[in-house]
Amino acid sequence: MTLEETVAQLTSVPASPLTGEADDPDELLDDEGDIDHETARDLLAGGVGHFTRLGGGGGLEPERALEVTEELQEMLVEETRLGIPAVPHEECLSGYMGPDGTTYPQGMGLASTWNPDLVEGMTARIREQLLSIGCRHALSPVLDVARDPRWGRTEESFGEDPLLVAEMASAYVRGLQGESPAEGVSATVKHFVGHAVGEGGKNRSSVQIGERELREVHLFPFEVAVRETGAESVMNAYHDVDGIPCAADESLLTGILRGEWDFDGTVVSDYFSVRFLQEEHGVARDRKEAAIRAVEAGIDVELPQRECYQLLVEAVEDGDLARETVETAARRVLRQKVEKGLFEEYHPDASGDAAVDPPSPDEAFGPDADRDYARDLARESVTLLKNDDLLPLSGDESVAVVGPKADTPEGQLGDYAYAAHYPEKESNRRVVTPRDAFEERLGEDRVAYAEGCTTTGPATDGFDEAVAAAEDSDVAVAFVGARSAISLTDEDEADHEDQPDVPTSGEGADVTDLGLPGVQQDLVEELHETDTPVVVVQISGKPHAVEWIDEHVPAVLHAWLPGEEGGHGVADVLLGEHSPSGRLPVSVAKSVGQLPVYYSRKPNSREEDHVYADSDPLYPFGHGLSYADFEYGDVELADGEVGPAGTVEASITVENAGDVVGSEVVQLYGHHRYPRQARPVQELLGFERVHLEPGESATVTFTVAAGQFAYHDADMDLVVEPGEYELRVGRSAADVESTADLEVVGDRREVPRSGRVYAGESEVER
């Protein structure tokens, strides 16, 4: 390969120019969505590494997306000297982010199911849609451990606990990648690393944490995804960690990722992050220097378009960059193309058969494709936070369905759903709103709808209509929350406080207040003044500080951003057709000033109070109520002692003592007594979701490895320390039903790389 051909493998071209300032904007498609052949031949003359979002970015229907992808691949194969096909990539955080893609709950909603198997089934379905349009690489999932809910992208994450994030993300990766590289779509774990804990809760801002916390909390899910699950791609984060931008951090992208974890996949840049080394971080004098810094650190492919990496040719020729560095990165990209079977697929004369036989777009898509599965996920994600005997509704009531999230289709979706990301474009996917679902169940004559107010802005002129609807109904259900969207520009110059629908959740939509935006709480207070019982349903990607609502309203739920079947999922729970089984993947603060409130703080942080507030969250991590009544027995250990490399079984029996079928999430936590250094007050060690009929019981057995207690000592060695531990089993981090003492005996043990245990096993016996 010539130097130009080698560098070309490290670049990408999009369907049309994305947000950014490319010197020579890349554009494969014209305004009609057709290939601009003259431009395409020029852009692809020396080959290319990735096609950027041809279907989603180009707004192409699935059949057309496949046609365009195949034609461009044929152009590469037949009209370039080497004939190397590209890796087409797409976004799929809550489903394929393109026309007609099924939209599932956002990440926080998925995490609230505490059901990895359900998530794996979801991404297996996403994989089929992606394969059917020729896509072989996906820019998901998000593994950021979210402990500051001011951060707008909290909704994209799997919560505040590294083990829960690791388990949910690993399931996501397994479903997407399938049984082998040739049969699946490469998952990209992101954002590497610490993206959720930027200063001030702001997107892309600096991260100031120590190496111990970085490794034990934020690197942990990535390590599991890479070493245990085999994630095929990693994406760098935008920010710097202690002054070193992740996009230029060789110790992170090469030392830890490849040196310590033996990762052999591709590292792709977050969109524009190479350019940002110059523009945001100021560590590069120009784009060529930014490109050198990034590729030397370990970023193999610049996304989403050519802005910097094409300058690597000049950098090598000028002696500023070793050609071997470029060749190493290109080798990784070419290996992925081989493993994905792209050569066999697009070279009919190649030996062997095409590695994958994808479904056709007609088979994978359509208005009803996977809607039932989306509904299952939506209702499993709904979390009942409070219930003073108001729910479930009997179905005989007249219902006032009010609030700004009651009848807005885009309001049910996360920031990376196609309909929310591109609200101006059409899709054949119907989004079911709560109003739709209630009118379908009860009939329009028994449902009174009133918006009441907008998500943001000061207007209260809709209050009277909402109050009247409540007064004329047996029960009022207020659907409130934040609007989710990507907010990366300053196009709106007017005062945000006066605008009716400002994004306060999603990428770039970071906040300083965790209360309900606008006058939504005022609306709830007005409804409370009526004689009608009120249910508050939060449809929002972030936890809100709703202490007043918790004190005054008899029933409170969080439905997160439940996807296209969200209305049905919420109605299933409210009307008793599904017993709520969601559990919080984050702790919910009483106020923004109380932060942080994550459950695994160290003792001094957990116990110290502010003058006017204690340290207890409003709702703890793992919390969630059910219509069923679960009773726990005592936790029993197979042995009270375990060696530093050993395991022990902990068993507990759970019974459904009520008369409603339901699912309980049994949670196991560990506490280290008298450690040599300050440690979290407790840490999640395992969990098991158990479905029980009335009167049915089951015994859950966790296999606990002493290695799960490992931590980094003063010398940053990973060790298991002998001593006293307590195992806690319960309904949440704050609702412990039973405990047992465990002693780790023997000598202090340094954990070898080959002997790391990330999570224990669990099984259910009925």
Side-chain angles (χ1 to χ4, degrees), residues 10-22 24-28 43 48-54 57 87 89 91 139 235-236 238 268-276 299 301-310 422:
L10 314 186
T11 66
S12 59
V13 290
S16 58
L18 284 84
T19 303
E21 298 177 357
D24 297 305
D26 299 342
E27 188 168 12
L28 291 172
L43 291 171
V48 73
H50 277 230
F51 289 143
T52 294
R53 301 192 53 239
L54 296 176
V87 175
H89 77 249
E91 296 274 9
L139 304 184
M235 175 183 282
N236 70 282
Y238 284 118
V268 299
S269 78
D270 204 344
Y271 282 16
F272 314 111
S273 62
V274 177
R275 189 184 85 205
F276 289 165
I299 293 180
V301 183
E302 180 188 16
L303 303 181
Q305 58 199 30
R306 292 171 175 163
E307 294 186 314
C308 303
Y309 267 28
Q310 75 275 14
Y422 297 106

Side-chain angles (χ1 to χ4, degrees), residues 509-748:
D510 312 310
V511 296
T512 59
D513 185 356
L514 295 181
L516 292 171
V519 295
Q520 293 183 76
Q521 179 161 312
D522 296 332
L523 172 64
V524 175
E525 293 180 15
E526 292 283 332
L527 297 172
H528 174 68
E529 292 299 316
T530 70
D531 292 330
T532 304
V534 177
V535 179
V536 169
V537 180
Q538 301 170 79
I539 297 184
S540 187
K542 63 172 59 209
H544 291 288
V546 289
E547 189 172 16
W548 186 95
I549 289 174
D550 177 72
E551 291 176 355
H552 295 87
V553 173
V556 183
L557 302 90
H558 204 130
W560 304 105
L561 295 164
E564 64 182 47
E565 282 290 313
H568 283 317
V570 172
D572 287 346
V573 170
L574 292 176
L575 294 170
E577 297 170 21
H578 178 80
S579 181
S581 55
R583 300 294 183 266
L584 288 175
V586 290
S587 306
V588 179
K590 296 170 183 172
S591 70
V592 69
Q594 198 189 22
L595 297 176
V597 295
Y598 62 89
Y599 84 92
S600 56
R601 286 165 286 164
K602 295 184 177 65
N604 56 345
S605 177
R606 173 64 183 83
E607 300 304 327
E608 290 293 332
D609 296 338
H610 294 92
V611 174
Y612 296 112
D614 58 30
S615 288
D616 295 328
L618 180 61
Y619 304 115
F621 174 81
H623 172 70
L625 304 177
S626 173
Y627 299 150
D629 181 16
F630 300 105
E631 294 183 356
Y632 284 69
D634 294 329
V635 61
E636 298 181 358
L637 301 185
D639 196 328
E641 295 183 351
V642 64
T647 61
V648 64
E649 291 185 347
S651 301
I652 193 166
T653 299
V654 181
E655 179 185 2
N656 183 351
D659 55 6
V660 176
V661 64
S663 295
E664 175 69 319
V665 178
V666 182
Q667 302 164 42
L668 173 67
Y669 297 89
H671 166 67
H672 188 177
R673 295 193 182 106
Y674 321 118
R676 294 172 64 88
Q677 63 191 45
R679 299 291 302 148
V681 293
Q682 59 183 349
E683 297 176 279
L684 184 68
L685 299 179
F687 58 91
E688 183 66 49
R689 189 180 180 93
V690 185
H691 186 76
L692 296 173
E693 298 287 335
E696 186 181 12
S697 63
T699 299
V700 180
T701 299
F702 296 97
T703 300
V704 182
Q708 291 179 260
F709 297 116
Y711 69 92
H712 291 84
D713 66 7
D715 298 320
M716 291 305 298
D717 295 323
L718 187 65
V719 300
V720 176
E721 181 183 333
E724 300 175 28
Y725 295 82
E726 182 181 65
L727 299 182
R728 304 168 176 174
V729 180
R731 308 171 191 270
S732 75
D735 191 358
V736 174
E737 292 288 332
S738 182
T739 65
D741 293 333
L742 176 67
E743 184 175 3
V744 176
V745 298
D747 297 328
R748 176 177 177 275

Side-chain angles (χ1 to χ4, degrees), residues 32-331:
E32 303 299 320
D34 296 322
I35 296 173
D36 182 335
H37 289 85
E38 182 178 353
T39 301
R41 287 188 173 91
D42 181 58
L43 291 171
L44 304 180
V48 73
H50 277 230
F51 289 143
T52 294
R53 301 192 53 239
L54 296 176
L60 305 178
E61 297 297 320
E63 289 187 4
R64 182 58 183 154
L66 178 61
E67 292 172 356
V68 166
T69 299
E70 291 185 334
E71 186 173 350
L72 289 170
Q73 295 281 33
E74 289 170 4
M75 188 178 296
L76 283 170
V77 168
E78 297 174 3
E79 299 183 28
T80 65
R81 188 178 74 89
L82 297 176
I84 301 173
V87 175
H89 77 249
E90 296 283 351
E91 296 274 9
C92 65
L93 187 64
S94 55
Y96 163 53
M97 197 177 80
D100 305 344
T102 308
T103 303
Y104 302 95
Q106 182 71 307
M108 286 290 282
L110 299 176
S112 71
T113 70
W114 291 57
N115 191 337
D117 291 341
L118 200 59
V119 172
E120 184 173 346
M122 177 194 79
T123 51
R125 288 163 171 78
I126 293 172
R127 180 181 75 227
E128 294 300 297
Q129 291 192 339
L130 293 177
L131 289 174
S132 77
I133 62 170
C135 173
R136 303 309 301 273
H137 189 118
L139 304 184
S140 293
V142 170
L143 275 64
D144 301 316
V145 179
R147 294 183 166 180
D148 189 338
R150 295 176 297 175
W151 186 52
R153 301 189 81 167
T154 294
E155 66 176 57
E156 301 177 21
S157 78
F158 293 127
E160 73 180 38
D161 180 79
L163 178 65
L164 179 62
V165 172
E167 292 291 293
M168 304 304 286
S170 291
Y172 190 112
V173 170
R174 286 194 298 269
L176 201 58
Q177 294 189 170
E179 296 296 322
S180 70
E183 297 175 359
V185 174
S186 292
T188 303
V189 291
K190 61 185 188 182
H191 307 88
F192 196 57
V193 63
H195 196 41
V197 288
E199 291 179 331
K202 291 184 291 187
N203 196 48
R204 307 205 312 232
S205 63
S206 294
V207 170
Q208 308 295 344
I209 55 177
E211 183 182 357
R212 184 171 290 103
E213 181 178 348
L214 187 71
R215 285 183 175 272
E216 294 179 358
V217 176
H218 301 284
L219 283 170
F220 180 89
F222 289 94
E223 185 173 356
V224 174
V226 168
R227 298 195 67 196
E228 296 285 292
T229 318
E232 295 172 7
S233 182
V234 173
M235 175 183 282
N236 70 282
Y238 284 118
H239 59 264
D240 67 275
V241 177
D242 194 23
I244 309 299
C246 293
D249 192 344
E250 184 180 12
S251 66
L252 178 69
L253 299 177
T254 299
I256 292 176
L257 183 59
R258 298 192 186 278
E260 295 183 22
W261 300 348
D262 300 320
F263 176 68
D264 63 358
T266 60
V267 176
V268 299
S269 78
D270 204 344
Y271 282 16
F272 314 111
S273 62
V274 177
R275 189 184 85 205
F276 289 165
L277 291 175
Q278 176 196 7
E279 296 180 359
E280 288 198 356
H281 296 287
V283 299
R285 71 183 69 248
D286 53 31
R287 293 188 177 184
K288 183 175 79 169
E289 186 175 340
I292 294 170
R293 294 286 303 276
V295 76
E296 287 185 336
I299 293 180
D300 300 314
V301 183
E302 180 188 16
L303 303 181
Q305 58 199 30
R306 292 171 175 163
E307 294 186 314
C308 303
Y309 267 28
Q310 75 275 14
L311 301 173
L312 294 176
V313 173
E314 180 183 339
V316 172
E317 291 175 342
D318 290 346
D320 296 324
L321 174 69
R323 180 164 180 158
E324 290 77 8
T325 300
V326 172
E327 291 176 342
T328 296
R331 194 174 296 116

